[in-house]
Amino acid sequence: MSRLTGIAVSDGVAVAKAYLLIQTDLSFDKIVVSEVDDEKSRFDAAIASSIADLQVIREKAAKSLGKEQAAVFDAHLMILSDSEMIGDIKERIQTDKINAEVAFKEVTSKYIDLFENMDDNPYMQERAADIRDVTKRVLAHLLGVALPDLSMISEEVIVVANDLTPSDTVQLDRRFVKAFVTDIGGRTSHSAIMARSLEIPAVVGTNEITSLVKKNDVLAVNGLTGEVIINPTSKERENFLSEEKKYIEQKEKWKLLKDAETLTLDGRHFELAANIGTPKDVTGVLDNGGEAIGLYRTEFLYMGAADFPTEDEQYEAYKMVLEQMHGKPVVVRTMDIGGDKKLPYFDLPKEMNPFLGFRALRISVSEEGNGMFRTQLRALLRASVHGKLRIMFPMVALLEEFRAAKVLYEEEKAKLLVDGISISEDIQLGVMIEIPASAMLADKFAKEVDFMSIGTNDLIQYTMAADRMNEKVSYLYQPYHPSILRLIKNVIDAGKRERKWVGMCGEMAGDQTAVPLLVGMGLYEFSMSATSILKTRSLMKRLDTKKMAELSDRALSDCNTHEEVEKLVHRYVGE
Ligand code: PEP
Ligand code: MG
């Protein structure tokens, strides 16, 4: 039995057999073949089986997470139908009389090298990564060995991996995958965000889970505390199972609040909204009693696709979300690409510090990026008649950036009106406050925008100068640190003075220790993973706004550290 602690990123408790995501041995020898036709048929069969696998994976991904995220697999299928490459491989089998594995590896390596050496072209490098993935699948079929295919899991397991990419995560089937545990990652990494939307308990950043877990081990995972036990004793197993039962019962109680108003003990209303990545997520928002969508991350429309989504494709996605929300507010964030979110078909420059580089609104208002931004704005403007649309610009540091985006917005709006297209008269334009510069200048922003939403995932990263993807510095993710609280208070106060609503769409908005502080400061809208809404509504029922205002004042004036604030909150609210 060993015990370790990681970062708890998705609620829930589970006990099940470990499924260790390890790379299969795909080594082989060079063989001279005499029956070249048989060898070519063997190769054709491996390609056909790989195509069949990928079609199943793509369908599963489309069902569980939507078409946009499933599009990753279209690129893989395209490679397997590349007649030039396939022809080249068969030619080698024929002329060199070598086994299919060798011919296949030689040809695909040539393509991989070619693409990888196009140094400054991320699109080509992505293609190299796709070919490498596909190569593994075909080789596994040729060698008759199984690949660890997450989408094929059909018994209850806990997935253990060094890391899970978004394309691994889309394959997880929550009926079978009871939890996942990784070596690396942090609370705001995208696999963590996806785990919450899939409602799969998860613990990340354990550093060493893959080196400790062996085949047939049993794991007990607590996604609420970050605790993981390998081969628990029967007593520990019982404890975890009783925690799981408690959590499930608690969830049942929270469900009763689905249609209730979000009111504090003293009857004040706050808006509980949800963050979504695709139109499919709206069902989860409504099932969890969401009063609004506070952040629609539109970059999933762009990522994983083979090309920029067209205006009509975007219009359909936005319309679907607005219609399903039946007049409840929907904050759509314009594309937030760059940083860790690359587009295979958009040639972004290679950068030393992509998180500090050419990304998000910086791209949108630039010469090379404003064409796609205009397309997005047109799609949004056209969709606006289907609901209550709010448009939010990400990564704003300067007022001039907001103004530049607004000019493009007004230009597209004017063009559409000339063309006789109807546009809602109730669209609001707001900014995400996720850079300390704009948090400090919130009083000036508040005069020009309709709303501000605080993106704490990045605001904390930039304030602490601590990469949100790096578990070595994850201790600096300190949402209750007085420096962060001061920035947040500055934004909320600025909004109040100008009578502009202020929300929060970073993970902190659903953090149960932060909520009492934010209620005390007078934040209006809290946007979080849909699965955190009901527990937050339940918590708010216990909070008195005057007492919480006293709590936040004391946290701001008396506390020096994150821990001191945490203790103070627990003293006011209880554990
Ligand atoms: C944030 O930065 O807080 C945020 C909500 O945006 P993202 O996590 O997509 O960067
Ligand atoms: Mg952000």
Side-chain angles (χ1 to χ4, degrees):
M1 186 273 291
S2 45
R3 181 187 286 265
L4 61 167
T5 310
I7 306 163
V9 296
S10 181
D11 288 353
V13 182
V15 179
K17 213 170 77 178
Y19 177 100
L20 195 55
L21 185 71
I22 35 169
Q23 300 309 332
T24 312
D25 179 9
L26 295 172
S27 56
F28 51 84
D29 292 320
K30 189 169 185 172
I31 300 171
V32 177
V33 293
S34 46
E35 301 296 334
V36 286
D37 285 341
D38 288 354
E39 195 61 12
K40 283 195 273 184
S41 308
R42 197 167 71 83
F43 174 64
D44 282 337
I47 295 283
S49 306
S50 304
I51 290 177
D53 282 0
L54 283 167
Q55 280 165 342
V56 173
I57 295 173
R58 186 184 55 184
E59 284 313 303
K60 275 196 174 185
K63 272 200 205 112
S64 63
L65 280 170
K67 267 210 320 259
E68 298 90 42
Q69 300 195 34
V72 176
F73 304 106
D74 287 332
H76 291 204
L77 283 162
M78 254 157 59
I79 294 165
L80 293 183
S81 48
D82 184 327
S83 53
E84 201 183 317
M85 189 174 84
I86 303 285
D88 207 358
I89 295 163
K90 288 191 179 171
E91 175 87 28
R92 279 190 195 222
I93 299 176
Q94 179 78 38
T95 51
D96 299 349
K97 301 203 175 344
I98 47 173
N99 48 333
E101 286 87 344
V102 177
F104 180 66
K105 194 69 195 267
E106 280 179 7
V107 172
T108 51
S109 303
K110 201 180 70 183
Y111 280 85
I112 292 171
D113 286 350
L114 189 79
F115 288 140
E116 265 184 349
N117 287 330
M118 297 183 181
D119 250 5
D120 288 328
N121 192 330
Y123 173 77
M124 292 305 176
Q125 282 168 9
E126 283 282 332
R127 296 284 70 78
D130 286 336
I131 300 176
R132 197 176 281 116
D133 266 12
V134 171
T135 309
K136 278 193 210 149
R137 187 169 301 281
V138 177
L139 277 178
H141 278 294
L142 281 171
L143 295 165
V145 294
L147 276 185
D149 200 337
L150 292 172
S151 73
M152 299 293 175
I153 293 174
S154 57
E155 57 172 340
E156 292 195 355
V157 294
I158 290 172
V159 170
V160 172
N162 177 251
D163 190 17
L164 288 174
T165 62
S167 62
D168 288 328
T169 321
V170 297
Q171 295 185 57
L172 302 178
D173 183 335
R174 55 189 256 215
R175 281 174 307 164
F176 304 118
V177 177
K178 294 290 140 193
F180 72 74
V181 186
T182 63
D183 290 328
I184 63 176
R187 196 167 163 80
T188 56
S189 57
H190 285 275
S191 61
I193 292 170
M194 276 190 183
R196 288 191 283 279
S197 68
L198 285 165
E199 295 189 46
I200 296 178
V203 174
V204 303
T206 59
N207 290 320
E208 50 178 357
I209 189 79
T210 52
S211 56
L212 297 175
V213 169
K214 289 183 303 305
K215 208 173 165 204
N216 294 328
D217 280 347
V218 170
L219 291 184
V221 176
N222 189 332
L224 299 155
T225 60
E227 201 183 355
V228 180
I229 302 182
I230 305 170
N231 295 325
T233 61
S234 51
K235 181 92 193 87
E236 284 165 338
R237 195 188 165 98
E238 253 170 55
N239 286 344
F240 269 69
L241 290 174
S242 101
E243 284 298 315
E244 182 183 12
K245 194 161 159 260
K246 243 201 290 180
Y247 179 69
I248 291 169
E249 281 167 8
Q250 178 124 69
K251 258 173 90 171
E252 287 305 312
K253 281 203 198 119
W254 290 336
K255 271 195 194 142
L256 302 175
L257 295 173
K258 181 173 161 257
D259 300 313
E261 227 190 310
T262 308
L263 293 176
T264 56
L265 194 60
D266 54 327
R268 283 268 309 276
H269 171 252
F270 290 85
E271 188 171 273
L272 292 189
N275 297 347
I276 63 164
T278 77
K280 259 191 109 238
D281 298 339
V282 178
T283 318
V285 177
L286 297 171
D287 287 350
N288 283 288
E291 296 165 66
I293 285 172
L295 169 63
Y296 173 10
R297 292 182 163 96
T298 57
E299 51 279 3
F300 288 112
L301 274 168
Y302 294 80
M303 288 160 68
D307 204 346
F308 287 114
T310 62
E311 184 181 316
D312 283 346
E313 280 164 357
Q314 294 192 54
Y315 164 77
E316 289 301 331
Y318 306 146
K319 175 179 167 220
M320 203 187 296
V321 173
L322 286 160
E323 276 183 351
Q324 281 177 274
M325 287 303 288
H326 297 293
K328 292 177 174 161
V330 175
V331 180
V332 180
R333 174 174 78 184
T334 59
M335 51 172 203
D336 186 17
I337 56 166
D340 61 328
K341 301 170 200 156
K342 301 265 186 316
L343 294 184
Y345 46 85
F346 185 55
D347 203 359
L348 285 167
K350 220 180 194 164
E351 296 179 325
M352 290 286 282
N353 291 301
F355 276 106
L356 303 180
F358 187 49
R359 52 173 300 200
L361 195 68
R362 299 169 184 185
I363 297 178
S364 298
V365 298
S366 72
E367 213 166 295
E368 55 269 62
N370 80 57
M372 58 179 173
F373 184 53
R374 285 178 187 273
T375 305
Q376 181 170 35
L377 292 171
R378 290 172 68 84
L380 283 166
L381 283 156
R382 282 172 52 202
S384 66
V385 290
H386 299 288
K388 199 168 183 177
L389 175 67
R390 277 86 186 85
I391 300 176
M392 175 161 77
F393 304 125
M395 288 290 295
V396 181
L398 310 174
L399 259 176
E400 296 90 309
E401 289 167 332
F402 171 70
R403 289 176 187 154
K406 194 170 172 184
V407 166
L408 296 173
Y409 168 85
E410 294 296 350
E411 283 176 8
E412 291 312 313
K413 184 173 168 185
K415 283 190 228 162
L416 286 169
L417 288 174
V418 167
D419 291 344
I421 308 281
S422 333
I423 294 170
S424 161
E425 286 178 3
D426 172 37
I427 305 176
Q428 294 185 353
L429 290 189
V431 287
M432 251 182 114
I433 301 288
E434 50 186 343
I435 298 179
S438 56
M440 291 306 298
L441 208 67
D443 54 335
K444 305 293 183 202
F445 275 97
K447 289 190 199 305
E448 300 193 25
V449 300
D450 296 319
F451 67 92
M452 297 183 282
S453 180
I454 308 170
T456 48
N457 305 343
D458 279 318
L459 184 63
I460 298 170
Q461 147 164 282
Y462 295 129
T463 306
M464 296 288 179
D467 182 347
R468 65 193 260 191
M469 312 287 282
N470 182 344
E471 78 282 359
K472 280 258 187 315
V473 292
S474 66
Y475 70 94
L476 284 163
Y477 177 78
Q478 299 195 0
Y480 336 128
H481 192 274
S483 60
I484 304 294
L485 298 182
R486 284 183 193 187
L487 287 171
I488 292 172
K489 178 82 164 54
N490 193 49
V491 181
I492 297 174
D493 287 349
K496 276 190 198 153
R497 279 194 299 272
E498 296 299 327
R499 296 181 184 280
K500 303 290 169 65
W501 68 267
V502 178
M504 179 178 287
C505 56
E507 290 304 312
M508 184 176 176
D511 178 321
Q512 304 294 287
T513 301
V515 167
L517 292 160
L518 299 170
V519 163
M521 292 187 208
L523 183 80
Y524 171 66
E525 179 238 38
F526 294 66
S527 191
M528 59 196 74
S529 302
T531 49
S532 299
I533 290 177
L534 294 174
K535 71 174 172 192
T536 307
R537 184 167 293 152
S538 163
L539 169 64
M540 284 202 178
K541 274 171 52 156
R542 294 164 41 211
L543 306 179
D544 175 82
T545 51
K546 278 207 196 72
K547 197 167 154 205
M548 292 308 112
E550 183 189 303
L551 161 69
S552 61
D553 284 347
R554 283 195 58 192
L556 283 160
S557 59
D558 300 352
C559 294
N560 300 306
T561 67
H562 190 253
E563 285 69 30
E564 283 175 24
V565 175
E566 195 170 7
K567 280 200 192 117
L568 187 70
V569 174
H570 291 155
R571 241 188 291 143
Y572 268 75
V573 183
E575 292 297 323

